[in-house]
Amino acid sequence: MTLWSGPMLEIAVDQLTNKVPTRFEFNGESICVVRIDDEIFAVGDTCSHAEVSLSEGTVEGDRIECWLHGSRFSLKTGEPDSLPATESIPTYSVTLQGNNINISAREGLNS
């Protein structure tokens, strides 16, 4: 297993509200971070269908729903499970260390 040693987005757990998507900008990318109880997920913030911010959408279970047309994406895999989206969104590796969250700036590590 190769460990990623590149840039990381570092945030504190208390910056996140449970089940409320939050947008962060890092390394020229928009990343949507979601806390669901004790789990943290990070996905690309742009809907693959309409190119709008997913952090403005809602979270149901382990899915995030785009506010514009209702496409839902898995926070675990980035795969869409409803139309009109047919393409996945990027997922990012998340490491929790105490109150600190480290998110890899390289997509696809937990796909």
Side-chain angles (χ1 to χ4, degrees):
M1 178 175 163
T2 303
L3 296 177
W4 174 248
S5 61
M8 298 268 205
L9 169 62
E10 297 180 12
I11 59 176
V13 172
D14 58 10
Q15 287 181 265
L16 302 174
T17 302
N18 198 43
K19 298 182 183 175
V20 175
T22 305
R23 178 181 178 159
F24 292 91
E25 297 291 331
F26 183 72
N27 254 12
E29 297 180 53
S30 296
I31 300 173
C32 176
V33 182
V34 178
R35 173 182 171 192
I36 301 176
D37 302 322
D38 294 332
E39 291 185 278
I40 309 293
F41 300 95
V43 297
D45 187 52
T46 305
C47 176
S48 63
H49 168 254
E51 296 192 22
V52 296
S53 175
L54 290 173
S55 62
E56 296 177 28
T58 57
V59 173
E60 294 181 28
D62 65 351
R63 306 271 188 260
I64 187 161
E65 183 173 312
C66 179
W67 63 271
L68 187 58
H69 295 117
S71 292
R72 287 189 317 264
F73 300 89
S74 167
L75 290 167
K76 295 178 180 180
T77 67
E79 293 288 322
D81 70 0
S82 65
L83 295 173
T86 58
E87 294 181 28
S88 299
I89 56 172
T91 58
Y92 298 87
S93 178
V94 175
T95 305
L96 187 59
Q97 297 177 336
N99 191 44
N100 297 318
I101 303 165
N102 296 317
I103 300 169
S104 170
R106 183 172 144 202
E107 70 180 67
L109 293 182
N110 60 341
S111 293

